[in-house]
Amino acid sequence: MTGRSGRSGEARPVSLLAHLSLARRSLSGQVFALEAVIVLVLITAATLALVFQARYDSQQDARHRSLAAAEAFAHAPGLPAALASSNPTAALQARAEGARRASGVDFIAVLSKDGVRYTDSRPELIGRRATGDLARAVAGQPFTEVFTGQPSDAVRAVVPVRDDRGAVIGLVSTGIEVQNVGQVLRGQLPLLLGSAAGALLLGTGGVALVSRRLRRQTRGLGATEMARMNEHHEAVLHAVREGVLIVDADHRLLLANDEARRLLDLPPDAEQRHVGDLGLDPGMTELLVSGRVATDEVHLAGDRLLAVNVRPTKAFGGRASGSVMTLRDTTELAALSGRAEVARERLQLLYDAGVRIGTSLDVVRTAEELSEVAVPRFADFVTVELLEPVLRGDEPTPAPGMHTEMRRAAMSGVRSDQPLQPVGDVIRFVVPTAPMAAALDAGRGVLAPDLNAAMGWRAQDADGTRVALDYGLHSLISVPLQARGVVLGMANFWRAADTPEAFDEEDLSFAEELGARAAVSIDNARRYTREHATAVTLQRSLLPRVLPDVSAVDVAFRYLPAKAGVGGDWFDVIPLPGARVALVVGDVVGHGVHAAATMGRLRTAVHNFSTLDMPPDELLGHLDELIDRIDQMESAEPDPGDPEGQEVEETAGITGATCLYAVYDPVSGLCTLASAGHPGPALVHADGRVEFPELPTGLPLGVGGMPFETSTLRLSEGSRLVLFTDGLLEDRDRDFDTGLTLLGETLSRPGRSPDQACSDVLAALLFPSPSDDIALLVADTRRLEPSRIAEWEVPGDPVAVSRVRREAAAQLVAWGLEEVSFSAELVLSELTTNAIRYGNAPIRVRLLHDRNLICEVSDGSSTSPHLRYAATTDEGGRGLFLVAQYAERWGTRYTERGKVIWAELSPAGGGEPPSAPLDLDALEDLAW
């Protein structure tokens, strides 16, 4: 038991938290707090000084390194001669890059006196003028500076380059980017912060020891604490409006405060007497003698009802424990218990309304929840009418006469045989004095306690109101449903013969509170309905409606939006040159308009990147960079000085996106895939065996930092690729692995078309209420028959062009494509001639007889030709122009060891050869 001094009989160690808790009570605590603050300030100041010094040293080191690298390169042998050459970039770019890597700087740029870059670590900057003031270097004075601007902030040095006569003929600029300068400081921060934390712990520990010594000397007490202890004692004895009795182990009264004496009518000498001699109620005496615990037991003391609580006291000094009794007068509380029970029931009803109303984002269902929660605890019947625009999800407009006509959306009652108009009917409020019209006009609830006297209501529909009165409806409360000051509808609460009590003013206040809560939920559902409709419209416009008809694959697809709202899953089938096809699925995190818009942007970007015919890993890399730029632009803060920028609503960036990109070649049967955080495909072999190939799954798009990897699958004839999003497999009640097993079992059933396979997969795996979008793409792969492929090796001799033309013409006759023979010979002649003249070995020609005739010429060079218009005096340069005129499409794609120039010729649109036959051998001179 605690003594009067506030100290326990047993000494206990004082912790750091105990010291902090004493800071406002004792002298030792105040000293501890002051010394701790001083130690913290000193250590913080020292740490900041070290950080600033380290930052200064890092910047000075960057200046010295940049200047040394610039001086070394500016005085390198042969630099003046290279600057004076006709192409300084070709002569210096490789040397500058080698020097940059050797010196460890971020860039080395060789500039003209005018600041135009001859070389740069970023090739796209070559030819552009460097920003900043270069006048000192042009005047012959080397300098270093911290440069801020484009292309990046850096610590740079600029050194003049002199010729043999000492004249400045160029400049060398080197530097280290500011973000890389800070890496040294970031490497030192853990040591600095660790040292500071250690010093802080040591200092605080020393302060704690000093404070503990001081507490022992002062015993932890002061005048303020003693005064507070006395005030507490006086308050318990004389001021507290709750009776307190303390009884010892012998059942003798040790202490009774003034309130206990008043409630129990104790004699003045009650203390130290046995409780049986105090004249208490027998039940209360028995409770004190028994020593048992009691909580809010009601005992009679004269004409008072007392709520009694009894708890044992702690044993102290070897003595047995006693008990403490507290007493409260509950006589007046009992008189209010009836009204309190009614209030409790209303509060419980409001709580239930908050839980049950608005569980779905459906307008009609929310109205039904309002009617259901109020019956039968508040009303016998409840009807809810809503404006037509609200039911559609639109914003209601205050048009003239708009509120006089609503549609009944929900109705609940204690009985099914009710006299009110059914759900779906149009309810009109044409009499201004009727409770409904008066409530809409006033913007608040209206009470009609006696419907027999409500003449306005009876005048609105004489026949219907007479039936209602005969049925027993006798009281009504009409409450307008308003949110954000806009009327959404009307709620009517009716009482019939089942509840004879009429509504009163308290009921009106409760009905208004119930209606206000329901209106917010209805408005939320209305806004969601509008957003959902907008998102569905946007998504339908962004997703492919019809997939392209390609010969490489037979494709079927399914797309199902989540019940919670349209999301960002997408799919695509993109034809590629060489009869190949790209299969794409992706997933954007989130739902709603933003996710759908993001999906459209990514799908468009994939289409644009696929036209460049780059490998899947490179395409995902470009897509990752694009998302990173989009996030940076959309997360940028508006300019504080731009008043219009402050009004622009903040837009969310792309919080996460995954993508699987696969390219299938029907000639070789190879499928190349790359994944950015997306699940790999399912591969169904011709015998029905299902396999889930392991792919190197990269990071999701927008995360950045790691390159993507490709995997290559060789698909046999009749193989099936199934691409999907994770919404198909997992949900709240099923994990990903379980869904994957179920998908494999479903796909293993043979003899079904892609469309039938899609239907079977959804029937087996679809959730009743999917929480995420589902995208499914099933593609049966086909191989191009070897008889429809022709290939030739071409030696590097222009004479071989004629042989290629002859053999190609013979092959076209065998395929029955004589109508495009002339165009094909012309295209092959120009492409092969160009490859021999400007390309590198090996040179190959390939013809593919697909839906169109595809002509491909490959060589070992990575230089791509460009279409141009030759002048009338040019002897050549018209070859590619002729190819573009005779081919439906043409282009270039790059391989690991060169490039392929391809052209597609349509048998239906091949055109007729010119009336005057052209000399194809002479046309070879027109090649570009």
Side-chain angles (χ1 to χ4, degrees):
M1 186 170 179
T2 303
R4 294 174 62 87
S5 64
R7 295 169 56 107
S8 63
E10 180 182 356
R12 298 179 181 176
V14 180
S15 64
L16 176 60
L17 292 178
H19 278 290
L20 294 176
S21 66
L22 292 173
R24 298 178 58 186
R25 296 188 301 166
S26 65
L27 179 61
S28 61
Q30 296 173 7
V31 171
F32 173 78
L34 179 59
E35 291 182 351
V37 169
I38 293 174
V39 170
L40 179 62
V41 170
L42 290 177
I43 293 175
T44 302
T47 303
L48 290 176
L50 290 175
V51 169
F52 283 117
Q53 182 63 39
R55 180 179 179 184
Y56 175 77
D57 292 343
S58 299
Q59 193 176 93
Q60 289 299 110
D61 178 66
R63 286 177 179 267
H64 295 328
R65 288 171 56 193
S66 300
L67 182 59
E71 290 282 1
F73 194 81
H75 294 87
L79 181 60
L83 287 174
S85 66
S86 60
N87 191 353
T89 299
L92 295 176
Q93 175 66 15
R95 291 175 57 186
E97 281 299 294
R100 179 187 66 80
R101 289 190 291 269
S103 60
V105 296
D106 288 338
F107 65 87
I108 294 180
V110 180
L111 317 175
S112 68
K113 291 177 61 177
D114 296 331
V116 178
R117 295 181 176 89
Y118 290 140
T119 73
D120 198 277
S121 301
R122 300 183 185 179
E124 68 271 13
L125 300 178
I126 295 176
R128 298 185 183 180
R129 191 181 186 282
T131 56
D133 185 9
L134 306 176
R136 286 182 290 172
V138 174
Q141 178 186 356
F143 69 91
T144 61
E145 65 176 356
V146 178
F147 173 77
T148 302
Q150 294 296 329
S152 62
D153 300 343
V155 177
R156 73 174 182 180
V158 184
V159 175
V161 180
R162 302 178 184 272
D163 57 11
D164 296 339
R165 296 173 297 174
V168 176
I169 61 173
L171 306 174
V172 175
S173 174
T174 66
I176 300 175
E177 295 184 355
V178 171
Q179 61 180 2
N180 294 332
V181 174
Q183 289 180 355
V184 177
L185 177 59
R186 288 192 289 272
Q188 297 174 351
L189 276 179
L191 178 60
L192 293 175
L193 295 178
S195 300
L200 180 60
L201 289 176
L202 290 176
T204 306
V207 170
L209 291 176
V210 173
S211 177
R212 182 176 181 182
R213 178 68 176 175
L214 183 60
R215 186 186 63 81
R216 289 179 177 177
Q217 295 295 327
T218 61
R219 299 181 180 271
L221 298 176
T224 302
E225 183 177 4
M226 294 297 295
R228 184 161 54 250
M229 290 176 60
N230 182 67
E231 291 173 358
H232 177 268
H233 182 73
E234 292 295 325
V236 171
L237 286 178
H238 308 298
V240 171
R241 303 307 297 170
E242 185 170 345
V244 177
L245 296 178
I246 300 178
V247 179
D248 63 10
D250 298 329
H251 308 132
R252 293 185 179 276
L253 181 63
L254 297 180
L255 183 142
N257 68 351
D258 293 349
E259 183 67 8
R261 293 177 182 274
R262 183 184 70 84
L263 294 175
L264 299 176
D265 195 19
L266 296 177
D269 58 346
E271 293 181 355
Q272 301 302 323
R273 293 174 60 178
H274 194 277
V275 294
D277 301 333
L278 299 178
L280 302 178
D281 177 73
M284 191 176 297
T285 301
E286 187 275 331
L287 178 60
L288 285 172
V289 172
S290 66
R292 65 183 177 86
V293 175
T295 302
D296 288 337
E297 289 190 7
V298 179
H299 290 266
L300 186 64
D303 58 350
R304 296 186 179 93
L305 290 177
L306 302 181
V308 179
N309 293 274
V310 179
R311 294 292 185 273
T313 59
K314 289 185 178 181
F316 176 73
R319 300 178 183 176
S321 63
S323 59
V324 175
M325 174 183 285
T326 60
L327 312 167
R328 294 196 314 275
D329 190 353
T330 61
T331 306
E332 296 180 358
L333 185 62
L336 299 175
S337 59
R339 295 166 58 186
E341 180 63 20
V342 173
R344 188 196 65 79
E345 291 177 356
R346 292 291 170 84
L347 288 175
Q348 183 64 39
L349 181 55
L350 284 178
Y351 171 78
D352 293 343
V355 173
R356 294 175 56 184
I357 298 176
T359 57
S360 68
L361 291 173
D362 182 81
V363 174
V364 174
R365 180 54 193 156
T366 305
E368 292 173 349
E369 290 168 345
L370 168 60
S371 65
E372 292 168 358
V373 78
V375 175
R377 290 189 289 174
F378 179 67
D380 297 325
F381 296 93
V382 176
T383 59
V384 181
E385 293 80 38
L386 297 176
L387 294 170
E388 290 286 355
V390 175
L391 292 170
R392 298 192 302 266
D394 297 333
E395 180 82 18
T397 56
M402 180 180 182
H403 296 159
T404 62
E405 188 173 291
M406 297 183 185
R407 187 170 298 277
R408 180 152 291 169
M411 180 171 59
S412 296
V414 294
R415 287 181 288 172
S416 58
D417 58 333
Q418 44 78 27
L420 303 173
Q421 290 178 257
V423 173
D425 277 12
V426 175
I427 310 300
R428 295 177 175 84
F429 312 116
V430 295
V431 179
T433 57
M436 298 83 165
L440 291 172
D441 183 63
R444 55 183 176 82
V446 171
L447 169 64
D450 185 3
L451 289 178
N452 286 285
M455 296 305 174
W457 174 71
R458 300 182 64 174
Q460 185 166 263
D461 181 8
D463 296 336
T465 54
R466 184 170 54 254
V467 173
L469 291 173
D470 294 342
Y471 181 84
L473 297 181
H474 62 84
S475 188
L476 167 66
I477 293 178
S478 296
V479 177
L481 301 177
Q482 302 179 95
R484 301 174 290 106
V486 178
V487 174
L488 306 175
M490 164 74 63
N492 295 300
F493 303 89
W494 310 79
R495 279 186 178 172
D498 301 85
T499 306
E501 297 85 5
F503 287 119
D504 55 21
E505 292 295 334
E506 291 186 1
D507 294 326
L508 176 61
S509 299
F510 175 78
E512 289 179 331
E513 176 68 20
L514 192 61
R517 296 193 178 197
V520 173
S521 298
I522 292 174
D523 189 53
N524 289 338
R526 179 198 63 78
R527 296 169 68 179
Y528 169 78
T529 301
R530 180 183 60 184
E531 181 179 341
H532 181 74
T534 304
V536 168
T537 303
L538 175 63
Q539 185 193 46
R540 288 176 178 173
S541 67
L542 295 176
L543 283 174
R545 299 185 179 181
V546 179
L547 295 181
D549 188 12
V550 293
S551 58
V553 291
D554 183 15
V555 183
F557 68 90
R558 294 290 189 275
Y559 181 86
L560 295 176
K563 293 295 184 181
V566 174
D569 290 13
W570 91 92
F571 61 92
D572 227 324
V573 177
I574 306 173
L576 297 177
R580 297 169 303 138
V581 64
L583 306 175
V584 191
V585 289
D587 186 1
V588 176
V589 174
H591 296 87
V593 175
H594 177 71
T598 301
M599 174 270 293
R601 298 163 79 177
L602 296 184
R603 178 172 176 255
T604 302
V606 170
H607 266 274
N608 292 336
F609 289 142
S610 66
T611 58
L612 302 178
D613 206 357
M614 56 183 62
D617 56 337
E618 294 184 17
L619 184 142
L620 292 181
H622 286 286
L623 199 63
D624 183 64
E625 294 177 3
L626 173 65
I627 291 179
D628 186 59
R629 289 197 300 271
I630 292 175
D631 280 340
Q632 290 178 3
M633 290 186 294
E634 294 192 347
S635 61
E637 296 183 359
D639 184 4
D642 184 7
E644 297 182 357
Q646 301 298 321
E647 299 177 0
V648 178
E649 183 179 358
E650 183 179 355
T651 58
I654 301 176
T655 57
T658 63
C659 182
L660 176 64
Y661 187 83
V663 176
Y664 172 66
D665 186 355
V667 178
S668 63
L670 296 179
C671 182
T672 307
L673 309 94
S675 172
H678 198 87
L683 175 58
V684 185
H685 297 275
D687 58 359
R689 180 169 50 91
V690 181
E691 178 186 355
F692 294 95
E694 293 186 4
L695 303 181
T697 304
L699 296 175
L701 297 173
V703 176
M706 294 295 291
F708 298 98
E709 300 181 45
T710 59
S711 293
T712 302
L713 304 176
R714 184 173 295 277
L715 306 183
S716 59
E717 184 73 26
S719 297
R720 171 174 289 175
L721 273 177
V722 180
L723 284 69
F724 51 86
T725 56
D726 56 3
L728 177 68
L729 303 183
E730 61 182 351
D731 201 83
R732 291 181 295 268
D733 301 324
R734 186 172 69 203
D735 59 22
F736 185 85
D737 293 336
T738 303
L740 207 63
T741 302
L742 186 58
L743 175 63
E745 295 173 354
T746 307
L747 293 175
S748 62
R749 304 168 191 167
R752 295 169 302 160
S753 66
D755 191 73
Q756 292 172 337
C758 287
S759 300
D760 292 346
V761 167
L762 291 184
L765 279 83
L766 186 63
F767 299 97
S769 298
S771 59
D772 197 4
D773 290 13
I774 295 175
L776 176 64
L777 195 66
V778 177
D780 284 356
T781 60
R782 303 192 186 105
R783 295 290 295 273
L784 193 63
E785 300 175 2
S787 61
R788 302 171 72 90
I789 304 172
E791 294 185 89
W792 298 277
E793 292 281 350
V794 181
D797 186 355
V799 178
V801 177
S802 300
R803 178 179 61 82
V804 171
R805 286 202 310 269
R806 290 192 300 272
E807 294 180 359
Q811 184 65 60
L812 293 179
V813 172
W815 285 342
L817 298 178
E818 295 90 343
E819 65 271 19
V820 296
S821 178
F822 173 80
S823 301
E825 290 184 55
L826 175 61
V827 169
L828 286 177
S829 177
E830 297 302 330
L831 297 181
T832 307
T833 302
N834 175 72
I836 294 174
R837 288 184 178 181
Y838 305 108
N840 298 328
I843 301 173
R844 296 180 61 86
V845 173
R846 185 171 73 168
L847 296 181
L848 303 177
H849 184 194
D850 193 36
R851 298 174 184 270
N852 293 334
L853 176 64
I854 303 172
C855 305
E856 296 182 347
V857 177
S858 62
D859 65 85
S861 170
S862 60
T863 304
S864 176
H866 298 281
L867 180 65
R868 68 184 183 90
Y869 291 92
T872 55
T873 57
D874 290 345
E875 296 182 0
R878 299 177 178 85
L880 195 58
F881 181 78
L882 292 175
V883 172
Q885 292 297 313
Y886 279 88
E888 270 200 359
R889 297 191 306 154
W890 71 276
T892 304
R893 72 174 185 268
Y894 295 94
T895 63
E896 294 181 357
R897 299 181 179 178
K899 68 177 182 297
V900 177
I901 303 179
W902 56 270
E904 287 191 13
L905 303 176
S906 173
E912 296 293 333
S915 56
L918 296 177
D919 185 357
L920 295 180
D921 292 326
L923 286 176
E924 296 173 9
D925 296 332
L926 300 178
W928 58 97

